[in-house]
Structure formats: structure tokens, C-alpha cells
Amino acid sequence: MLTYGPIRCDLDLDSDGLRHSQLRLLHSDDDNAYGEIWVPIVVARNGEGPTVLLSSGNHGNEYEGQIILRNLISTLDAKKIRGRLIVLPGLNAPAVRAGRRVSPLDGGNLNRLFPGSTSNGPTSAIAGFVTQHLLPLCEFGLDFHSGDPSSCYLPCAFLTTCSDSSLHEQNVAAAEVFGADHTYVVEGWSAKPSFDANAHRLGVSFISTELGGGGGTTPETLSVGRRGLDRVLDWLG
């Protein structure tokens, strides 16, 4: 059993095969009377190889990545991979269910709350669970973002710089392999509470995306994201 503050998860991350489960977030309020909110998680493993973390729904009203990863899960066959995939298709599940950027439970913006805490509300606990239990297993991570109803991006890879030059080179290579026409670069010092910067502090190669937005999805943005994902997974082996 993996635990972090109010979160419990009994998913077997180590055995070969494909398994679907959830992080059980213990939280009770007027809208969640029964006190348990599920954050979906899927693991697929087949022998030795790299471990890759894939996530979407960090902001609940960004839909491209959620569609891409749910489609991936629906066709995933553990026998056809080498290594391990850990997939979180609705990472900030309360925000995903509400169709909001931030969590309706505590107003938490998940991508501003890493590395997380057991005592700063449920959204911070999600960040802490990922930091403590999932990122240390990984060689690489990819977090899908897009514009929300108030913003729209050219489809791009999103690269946060880091002080470790070797790790930065890996991240740049991953962004190039992703193959979008554009890559958006931000300085790591300005993104300290983000998922990306947190992964880099732990020595994990990690990039994100921005795929369209404006309140809707398009075949183009979904195609850029899925092709990029497939390229990166192939490159990683």
C-alpha cells in the first residue's frame, strides 16, 4: 500500500502486465459526502526497460492530453512494450470532473504546488504522492497541457530549463524528438513549483506540451500530440 497524507493506493507497480486502479484521495465536504475521490492510474509493464510517466489533466479544462492518454489506455497491450508505463490521464481529478483549471476542493492549481505537502490541502497531496512514489521510479516524464477556454497555443513542446547540463541536453533532445513545429522554452527559476521543475530536481528527464486550446480540440492538435508521444516512446526504447 502506497500512502501520502490523505492518499492511498494499492496498485502493484512492479509486476508484468496491465493494471487499472486509482489513487484514493480521502476528502469529505458538502459535495463529496462519502469522503473518497478517485484519481485514475494505469500501469503497464513488460520486463526490463525504461519507466516513463505520462500525465494529463494537471489542469482540468485542458482536454487534448486527456483524450490522447485515454485513447492510449484503451489500446495498451503490456506485451507490446518494453519496460514500464505509468499513466495518469486525469491527474487533478477533481478539476477534471468539474471542467475547471483548478480544483474545486481547495482552489489548488496543481502545477504550482510541487513538490507537494501532506498539510496544504488535497491538491498539494496529489503533487506530493507523485513526487514521493512515482517520479523516483522514472527515467522520463511527459505532461500534456493545452490552452483552456481563455487561451490557445500553437501546438508545441514545452521545455523548462534546468541547471544540470546533462539533464537539460536530454530534455532538449526529447523536445526535438517530439517533433512539433515549435518548442516553447521557459527558465527553470521561474517555474520552481511546476511538475517539470520538480522532476528535474529529482534527476528525471521531463518535458510538457501546449496543444491548442480555446475551449475545443481539433484533429490537428490531437495528431501532433499523439505522434509526438509515439516518437518519444520509440526513442526511449
Side-chain angles (χ1 to χ4, degrees), residues 44-66:
R45 180 161 190 167
N46 185 30
E48 297 301 315
T51 293
V52 176
L53 179 67
L54 305 174
S55 58
S56 60
N58 188 327
H59 296 131
N61 60 354
E62 300 176 1
Y63 300 112
E64 282 79 358
Q66 297 181 52

Side-chain angles (χ1 to χ4, degrees), residues 112-130:
R112 305 293 185 271
L113 289 171
F114 285 92
S117 167
T118 60
S119 58
N120 194 32
T123 309
S124 186
I126 294 172
F129 184 94
V130 173

Side-chain angles (χ1 to χ4, degrees), residues 34-135:
Y34 294 99
E36 187 171 275
I37 298 167
W38 289 4
V39 179
I41 181 172
V42 174
V43 62
R45 180 161 190 167
N46 185 30
E48 297 301 315
T51 293
V52 176
L53 179 67
L54 305 174
S55 58
S56 60
N58 188 327
H59 296 131
N61 60 354
E62 300 176 1
Y63 300 112
E64 282 79 358
Q66 297 181 52
I67 294 169
I68 289 166
L69 291 190
R70 289 179 186 277
N71 284 341
L72 172 70
I73 289 168
S74 71
T75 60
L76 196 54
D77 182 349
K79 295 179 181 178
K80 294 182 179 179
I81 69 169
R82 183 179 70 87
R84 175 169 52 185
L85 289 178
I86 301 172
V87 188
L88 294 154
L91 181 56
N92 192 351
V96 167
R97 293 180 180 128
R100 292 173 50 178
R101 178 177 177 83
V102 301
S103 174
L105 303 183
D106 56 6
N109 182 337
L110 179 57
N111 211 37
R112 305 293 185 271
L113 289 171
F114 285 92
S117 167
T118 60
S119 58
N120 194 32
T123 309
S124 186
I126 294 172
F129 184 94
V130 173
T131 298
Q132 179 167 305
H133 292 299
L134 301 183
L135 280 174

Side-chain angles (χ1 to χ4, degrees), residues 6-23:
I7 298 178
R8 307 286 183 272
C9 181
D10 59 3
L11 179 62
D12 175 5
L13 295 171
D14 297 321
S15 301
D16 281 358
L18 175 66
R19 290 173 293 282
H20 297 238
S21 189
Q22 54 279 322
L23 315 183

